[in-house]
Amino acid sequence: MDIVVFDNVTKAYRSGEVTVDALRDVTLRIPEKSFTALVGPSGSGKTTALNLIGCLDQPTRGTLTVAGQAMAGMSRRQGAAFRGAHLGFVFQDFSLLPVLSVYENVEYPLRMIRRMSKKACRPEVTRLLASVGMEDQADKYPAQLSGGQKQRTAVARALVGQPALVLADEPTANLDGQTAQKVIALMKRMRDEFGTTFVFSTHDPRIMEQAEVLFHLEDGRLVDTQAAPGEVDR
Ligand SMILES: Nc1ncnc2c1ncn2[C@@H]1O[C@H](COP(=O)(O)OP(=O)(O)OP(=O)(O)O)[C@@H](O)[C@H]1O
Ligand SMILES: [Mg+2]
């Protein structure tokens, strides 16, 4: 099954008199449970594509389906509910809340979006912190963590509530090469452990090597698709 389907998707941004086609007639399929990368130079449309998948923006033309749901015509409220039910996000700048501990950052989506009690959250938060190797740091605050530890916490937060799909826009851009490799390996291991589909963007050739499915964008167009054997059945 494909968890994300783009059919002839164009995204145009208008600023004043000028229209920029950030994505041009893109057709692609992302297999469920795959470890997929969007790659391409700056301005090629990677963030635009992730924002469309994340229901943070809507296509100008074409159709986009995510987890079986057509993305067109959703209200803000429906979009938020869809994200809460199906998606997790990892950001380049980690985006942890500075006043919350590691434990509380991971617990936050369950408390705020799922409205679960502290007690009900505990088993899942504890399990995820252990999975990303942060159980010993649970009481620390983001300012006390290294970049790699922050991103491991953010990966745990993205996975809490068991989303089908995690979107990560340049998740390794603010990490040194070795830490970047470790975070990518961790995300892949989380895919293996939880069956979560991961879609991430990167500029870094050593990071893109880790992807099983690779979509190359240039100037808003899909110019190449690479897949490890058995990943994309065309
Ligand atoms: N909100 C917006 N308004 C107008 N133009 C935009 C907007 N967002 C993106 N663009 C334009 O769309 C194109 C694609 O941008 P996008 O951010 O998707 O690229 P990217 O591949 O993520 O680049 P980078 O590697 O620098 O993050 C660029 O030309 C950009 O200037
Ligand atoms: Mg970008």
Side-chain angles (χ1 to χ4, degrees):
M1 227 262 304
D2 297 316
I3 190 158
V4 176
V5 180
F6 281 69
D7 274 317
N8 303 104
V9 168
T10 293
K11 176 66 191 179
Y13 287 112
R14 266 196 80 136
S15 39
E17 296 297 293
V18 191
T19 303
V20 179
D21 283 346
L23 288 180
R24 301 166 196 251
D25 204 23
V26 170
T27 295
L28 61 79
R29 277 150 218 286
I30 298 176
E32 203 170 31
K33 302 189 197 325
S34 64
F35 199 65
T36 291
L38 301 176
V39 304
S42 182
S44 58
K46 304 181 294 295
T47 296
T48 302
L50 287 169
N51 286 347
L52 294 180
I53 299 169
C55 199
L56 298 165
D57 218 334
Q58 300 222 337
T60 308
R61 288 187 294 281
T63 57
L64 172 60
T65 308
V66 180
Q69 165 85 44
M71 292 287 103
M74 267 206 252
S75 67
R76 268 173 183 274
R77 203 187 166 129
Q78 288 168 323
F82 179 80
R83 282 192 296 277
H86 299 286
L87 305 181
F89 292 86
V90 176
F91 302 95
Q92 178 174 333
D93 63 0
F94 321 124
S95 295
L96 299 174
L97 291 166
V99 297
L100 299 184
S101 69
V102 165
Y103 182 93
E104 290 164 339
N105 265 282
V106 175
E107 181 193 50
Y108 188 81
L110 293 181
R111 300 274 292 144
M112 288 299 139
I113 299 169
R114 305 272 167 106
R115 300 279 166 199
M116 286 165 61
S117 71
K118 276 200 163 279
K119 193 174 170 203
C121 295
R122 183 162 288 277
E124 186 164 0
V125 174
T126 306
R127 182 177 64 121
L128 277 168
L129 285 174
S131 285
V132 303
M134 287 296 290
E135 68 272 50
D136 297 342
Q137 321 278 327
D139 295 330
K140 283 196 176 167
Y141 287 84
Q144 300 171 300
L145 303 177
S146 69
Q149 290 170 333
K150 283 183 202 169
Q151 205 55 311
R152 276 151 57 195
T153 305
V155 169
R157 180 188 54 189
L159 287 167
V160 83
Q162 297 159 29
L165 176 62
V166 170
L167 303 172
D169 197 0
E170 313 234 12
T172 61
N174 286 322
L175 302 173
D176 67 77
Q178 206 184 358
T179 308
Q181 286 290 352
K182 283 189 186 158
V183 166
I184 285 294
L186 170 71
M187 296 200 319
K188 210 169 185 175
R189 191 156 54 71
M190 295 298 101
R191 186 283 306 270
D192 295 343
E193 194 170 329
F194 299 107
T196 316
T197 310
F198 277 82
V199 182
F200 61 98
S201 69
T202 183
H203 285 107
D204 185 340
R206 283 165 310 167
I207 296 296
M208 48 185 101
E209 273 175 17
Q210 305 302 321
E212 297 161 344
V213 182
L214 218 83
F215 296 106
H216 288 260
L217 295 169
E218 257 172 48
D219 203 17
R221 292 185 197 284
L222 180 65
V223 293
D224 193 21
T225 302
Q226 287 165 266
E231 274 303 320
V232 177
D233 38 359
R234 284 168 192 281

